[in-house]
């Protein structure tokens, strides 16, 4: 995740103030308005030789997972900087709706030749960049979102992706966006941002998140990054009921930047991550026009991967509650090399197929892990109803075996192949 993302206060809106008061939030709230992504600062297209491959899709076996679900019909709120909806073939207007809580382009934005939409675009693309008709948009790369048919509701509440020293933005727009997303009945809220325990609006933030959870909305947050050795609790990741996501490397180690904490739920790839950048708007927005990045590092990018997995889970079983989603992610994760829970990876690295089907993880670490370290036993749980997903999953991985008494038999869904040997 980039360094702490700070927020810019804006004007009040009476309608959202009522929503704030309803959940005990006393802060005056900014006004929501449309977001014009054509005002985003754009990046030149990526040259053919530099178009990256997305290793995290191979690691998570997404080609197999997409045989079971693609996130269709699931709304995911991305509360971040703006998201560039123009100049890309990965999003269509019916899958990306954008709002602004910061009142449009500021004088600073105009002087910089456009609004900063980098971080939000990266995050949204990791969740739901499309695969029309099940095919890659750009034949030069395998890149797509984890839930390529999910719908993104984007809220601009942050003005910069990388704040300068001393820049402070109010938490109020983010609180307002959480509440607005709750009223729009999204199923998932992604918060790839963090604040420390001394933020003056932290209690209001917690109330808004709790209200979303109470309405059955799954809240996924970046666990935060270690910055200059500071070890402090990160919010919203540490709020009760939130799925806090740490960052892993291509060799399944815990990324050194990932902030440790007892509240970390699971880990996901967060090193050398490929994502979309805001691209220039041209008459023909084909894949050749697309700008990519492949050097993203941090829990900001691990969190949307998990948000995408949650969208897949909810497509298969829309009745899952936030608590059930959290429990299943933990119970089905690929165990880390260390004891569970790991202070940076929680229960381990998210496993999309197991998460969708409810098949428990093995009781020992994956091959290559340190077998001398004990792994905590899985919690006792009732087995999920596998019937709705059986046909689709069977296409991708073969039939799952059910025991005669109706319990899930021992089924192994291996962790995907690891790539390379970079240092953890």
């Amino acid at each position: 995740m980039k360094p702490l993302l700070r927020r810019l206060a804006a004007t009040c809106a009476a309608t959202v103030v009522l929503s704030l008061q309803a959940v005990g939030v006393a802060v005056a709230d900014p006004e929501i308005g449309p977001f014009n992504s054509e005002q985003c600062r754009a990046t030149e297209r990526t040259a053919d030789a530099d178009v990256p491959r997305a290793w995290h899709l191979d690691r998570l076996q997404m080609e197999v997972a997409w045989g079971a679900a693609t996130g269709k019909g699931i709304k995911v709120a991305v509360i971040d900087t703006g998201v560039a909806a123009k100049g890309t073939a990965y999003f269509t207007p019916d899958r990306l709706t954008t709002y602004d809580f910061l009142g449009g382009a500021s004088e600073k934005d105009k002087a910089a030749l456009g609004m900063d939409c980098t971080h939000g675009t990266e995050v949204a693309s990791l969740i739901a960049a499309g695969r029309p008709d099940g095919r890659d948009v750009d034949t030069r790369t395998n890149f797509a979102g984890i839930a390529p048919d999910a719908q993104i509701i984007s809220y601009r509440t942050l003005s910069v992706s990388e704040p300068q020293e001393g820049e402070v933005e109010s938490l109020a727009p983010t609180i307002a966006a959480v509440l607005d997303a709750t009223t729009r009945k999204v199923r998932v809220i992604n918060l790839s941002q963090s604040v420390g325990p001394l933020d003056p609006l932290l209690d209001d933030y917690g109330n808004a998140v709790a209200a979303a959870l109470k309405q059955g909305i799954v809240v996924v947050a970046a666990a935060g990054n270690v910055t200059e050795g500071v070890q402090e609790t990160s919010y919203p990741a540490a709020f009760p009921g939130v799925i806090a996501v740490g960052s892993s490397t291509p060799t399944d180690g815990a990324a050194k930047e990932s902030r440790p904490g007892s509240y970390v739920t699971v880990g996901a790839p967060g090193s050398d991550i490929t994502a979309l950048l805001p691209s220039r708007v041209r008459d023909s927005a084909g894949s050749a026009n697309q700008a990519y990045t492949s050097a993203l590092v941090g829990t900001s990018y691990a969190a949307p991967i998990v948000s995408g997995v949650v969208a897949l889970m909810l497509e298969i079983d829309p009745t899952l509650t936030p608590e059930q989603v959290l429990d299943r992610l933990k119970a089905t994760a690929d165990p880390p090399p260390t004891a569970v829970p790991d202070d940076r990876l929680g229960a381990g690295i998210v496993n999309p197929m197991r998460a969708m089907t409810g098949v428990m993880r093995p009781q020992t670490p994956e091959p290559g892990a340190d077998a001398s370290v004990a792994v905590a036993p899985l919690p006792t749980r009732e087995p999920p109803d596998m019937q709705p997903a059986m046909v689709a999953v069977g296409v991708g991985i073969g039939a799952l075996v059910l025991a005669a008494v109706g319990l899930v038999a021992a089924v192994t869904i291996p962790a995907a192949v690891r790539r390379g040997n970079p240092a953890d």
Side-chain angles (χ1 to χ4, degrees):
M1 183 172 126
K2 299 243 184 357
L4 290 184
L5 299 176
R6 314 192 193 276
R7 300 144 193 89
L8 177 65
T11 57
C12 296
T15 55
V16 184
V17 169
L18 292 175
S19 297
L20 288 163
Q21 292 171 343
V23 295
V25 180
V27 63
D29 191 70
E31 182 177 287
I32 188 171
F35 177 70
N36 182 4
S37 66
E38 291 189 9
Q39 295 182 11
C40 291
R41 290 199 300 274
T43 305
E44 288 295 338
R45 65 179 294 274
T46 300
D48 291 352
D50 297 327
V51 174
R53 183 172 180 85
W55 72 266
H56 67 277
L57 298 180
D58 297 326
R59 167 62 186 85
L60 299 176
Q61 294 185 318
M62 293 313 303
E63 286 284 353
V64 175
W66 289 326
T70 57
K72 190 173 182 63
I74 305 301
K75 293 182 181 180
V76 182
V78 172
I79 300 175
D80 212 289
T81 68
V83 172
K86 307 291 186 180
T88 180
Y90 281 94
F91 282 104
T92 53
D94 61 312
R95 288 202 313 112
L96 178 56
T97 304
T98 56
Y99 297 104
D100 189 359
F101 273 107
L102 299 184
S106 66
E107 291 304 316
K108 182 179 177 180
D109 293 328
K110 294 173 183 176
L113 303 180
M115 292 183 285
D116 181 346
C117 300
T118 298
H119 195 265
T121 301
E122 293 164 345
V123 168
S125 71
L126 285 167
I127 298 171
R131 297 180 79 241
D133 300 319
R135 296 186 177 88
D136 293 334
V137 166
D138 188 342
T139 57
R140 300 172 298 173
T141 178
N142 67 331
F143 179 75
I146 298 295
D149 286 329
Q151 181 180 352
I152 295 292
I153 310 296
S154 164
Y155 294 93
R156 179 179 179 247
T157 66
L158 306 172
S159 64
V160 293
S161 297
E162 297 184 86
Q164 300 299 311
E165 186 69 27
E167 279 188 320
V168 178
E169 298 189 85
S170 170
L171 192 55
T174 292
I175 295 171
V178 170
L179 291 165
D180 188 84
T182 301
T183 65
R184 294 179 194 275
K185 302 185 184 304
V186 302
R187 294 305 312 274
V188 187
I189 293 176
N190 185 91
L191 291 161
S192 288
Q193 51 180 282
S194 65
V195 296
L198 300 181
D199 192 285
L201 297 181
L202 190 65
D203 287 345
D204 296 329
Y205 198 10
N207 288 339
V209 168
L213 291 166
K214 186 176 181 180
Q215 292 299 314
I217 297 169
V218 179
V219 180
V220 180
N225 295 330
V226 176
T227 304
E228 298 178 345
V230 176
Q231 302 284 331
E232 66 177 12
T233 302
S234 176
Y235 294 90
F239 286 139
V242 171
I243 296 168
V245 185
S247 173
S248 67
T249 69
T251 56
D252 280 5
K256 62 183 180 181
E257 300 87 3
S258 190
R259 186 181 300 282
S262 60
Y263 51 85
V264 177
T265 308
V266 290
S271 298
D272 301 325
I273 297 299
T274 294
L276 304 184
L277 291 171
S279 300
R280 296 200 178 280
V281 178
R282 294 188 171 93
D283 291 338
S284 177
S287 59
N289 182 54
Q290 185 64 56
Y292 298 93
T293 180
S294 61
L296 299 179
V297 174
T299 59
S300 265
Y301 309 112
I305 288 174
V306 173
S307 289
V309 172
V310 173
L312 302 182
M313 295 169 67
L314 292 173
E315 180 190 349
I316 286 181
D317 186 355
T319 69
L320 289 172
T321 67
E323 182 179 9
Q324 289 171 329
V325 169
L326 186 151
D327 287 345
R328 186 184 286 190
L329 287 172
K330 292 170 64 176
T332 60
D334 294 332
T338 59
V340 177
D342 181 270
D343 63 352
R344 282 182 166 85
L345 297 177
I349 298 171
V350 67
N351 185 309
M353 282 306 304
R354 289 197 191 112
M356 283 190 286
T357 61
V359 176
M360 302 301 185
R361 68 180 179 224
Q363 294 289 313
T364 57
E366 295 296 333
D370 183 359
S372 66
V373 180
V375 178
L378 292 171
T380 301
R381 307 173 60 223
E382 288 296 323
D385 180 7
M386 300 290 294
Q387 191 61 36
M390 290 302 294
V391 174
V393 174
V395 173
I397 64 172
L400 295 174
V401 181
L402 296 180
V405 293
L407 298 177
V408 180
V411 180
T412 300
I413 301 175
V417 177
R418 295 165 175 77
R419 184 197 71 155
N421 293 292
D424 290 348

